[in-house]
Amino acid sequence: MQAIMRKYLKETLKYLVRSKLLINKEIKEIERLTLMNSKELNAYKGQQFLKIFRKAITKSKFYRKFYTEAGITLEDITSLEDIQKLPILTKEILRKNTELVPTQPSWLLVSANTNGTTGNPLRLYHSYKSIKKEQAYVFINRKERGFTYGEPLVSLKGNLPKDMFKLKVHLSNTLHLSSFNLKNSYTEDYYREISKFTPKAIEGFPSSLYNLCLLLKEKDLQLHIPVAFTSSETLYDFQRELIEETLNTKVYDYYGTTERSISLMEKLDRQGYTENPGYSINEYYINKIITTSLIKEGFPLIRYEVNDRIRFGENSSNPLFIQKIEGRTDDVVIAKDGSKIGRLDYLIRGINNIQNAQVVQENIGELTINILASKAFCEEDRNLILKKVDYYIGKDNMDITINLVSEEELIYTSGNKYKYLISKVDK
């Protein structure tokens, strides 16, 4: 009972921090940014960048040393165009110097940790000001897509432990459900609780919403939730299709980082992603993004490298049309001929007897596909996967092992995040 009360109070406090009353100033500022033309927005970005750079080089022990060693002085950076002169900050450099980065006392900052399927967690900090700014962007993004905080929301994001199935937070009108109990014996419980709550929206990791929908589909159950918000994982097409069909919803995906150095929201027409205005300065490359956060003065991230891949589409009016978030650069497999291949969800897409899957590579030219199969899975389905491998990767270009596994054998992080593709090969 004490654990439930502590969690209830924590979630209530979190909502208070992001309530419109406390972030109204930030909301109005962002609304002002959305009305700017490209010239005005670039001018704003330039002003914010210089403000953050000057604060970093004069008040951060890390940046003062980092830039001195790179031969950069305060006078060298006078405009946004000078950003290219600055060295790139990698995750490894940041990890070694976290405690030296802040420009203000630690007691004014809130600590956080990244949480991936592979690699070491990264400790970092947020100021209260940056937390409010982040929440203001989320508030506006969701309102534009049909949901306002305070309306009934179901949250399926791994923030409840396995032994706490549900928690209704009254002030925020949010029903939190544990994503650690997504199995057959709980299907009716999820269905009953969500139906009774009649939510306007649902939020969750793509894998959590997908797994929920798999359970509902198996029992021929459907829900009607107008809007679904996904984040924190790569959203695959096969996941989107089942979620929208089973929940009778529209999915809007959000891409951001725990570091809060970049923020992209799926567009209103769901045809690609758009940058949140004034959130960051982004330099896009084939296998990485160099990001400069414009909302983090207390813990600056300037030219910070994010190892995610962005797929750009063809759009004559916008050469930087962001079509898809491909995932991390280590989310690729290497075939025998040396080619690097990502986005392998098409290997299982369209095969009805597969509930979920995970692709793992431990050696170049070898691939293990772990299948969570329905009872109807047969040799024909297995052969169809092998045909797809030959078609997309090349005949005899990859040795394939297909294993039938249980839900418990799929790999999740401690925060219950899922990755479809896991590579253990040094690239």
Side-chain angles (χ1 to χ4, degrees), residues 154-157 202-209 229-231:
V154 169
S155 182
L156 196 66
K157 296 193 70 174
I202 187 170
E203 65 176 10
F205 302 149
S207 60
S208 296
L209 297 186
F229 298 109
T230 56
S231 63

Side-chain angles (χ1 to χ4, degrees), residues 71-84:
I72 301 292
T73 67
L74 182 63
E75 291 73 25
D76 290 328
I77 308 298
T78 60
S79 69
L80 182 55
E81 287 69 29
D82 292 331
I83 195 171
Q84 296 288 334

Side-chain angles (χ1 to χ4, degrees), residues 367-410:
L367 212 59
T368 298
I369 305 177
N370 294 323
I371 301 291
L372 179 63
S374 67
K375 293 179 181 179
F377 186 84
C378 60
E379 194 64 26
E380 184 179 341
D381 296 319
R382 185 186 295 267
N383 290 334
L384 182 54
I385 294 173
L386 295 175
K387 286 180 181 178
K388 288 190 173 193
V389 170
D390 288 346
Y391 179 81
Y392 289 107
I393 300 178
K395 190 171 179 60
D396 300 323
N397 201 19
M398 190 80 78
D399 294 333
I400 303 296
T401 300
I402 297 176
N403 297 327
L404 299 186
V405 301
S406 65
E407 172 66 35
E408 289 72 26
E409 292 176 280
L410 295 177

Side-chain angles (χ1 to χ4, degrees), residues 190-206:
Y190 282 106
Y191 179 75
R192 182 178 60 255
E193 292 294 339
I194 295 174
S195 297
K196 183 172 62 176
F197 189 63
T198 59
K200 179 72 174 291
I202 187 170
E203 65 176 10
F205 302 149

Side-chain angles (χ1 to χ4, degrees), residues 121-172:
L122 172 66
R123 185 177 179 85
L124 45 97
Y125 295 93
H126 303 303
S127 67
Y128 180 57
K129 184 177 180 180
S130 71
I131 291 172
K132 291 204 300 177
K133 199 70 172 285
E134 173 78 16
Q135 293 306 322
Y137 277 105
V138 175
F139 181 94
I140 290 173
N141 285 168
R142 293 193 172 187
K143 186 176 181 181
E144 288 176 341
R145 287 152 184 83
F147 173 78
T148 300
Y149 280 114
E151 295 180 309
L153 170 71
V154 169
S155 182
L156 196 66
K157 296 193 70 174
N159 59 345
L160 290 188
K162 189 177 181 69
D163 59 358
M164 193 184 298
F165 177 72
K166 67 174 182 176
L167 179 70
K168 168 71 184 298
V169 179
H170 296 83
L171 187 63
S172 64

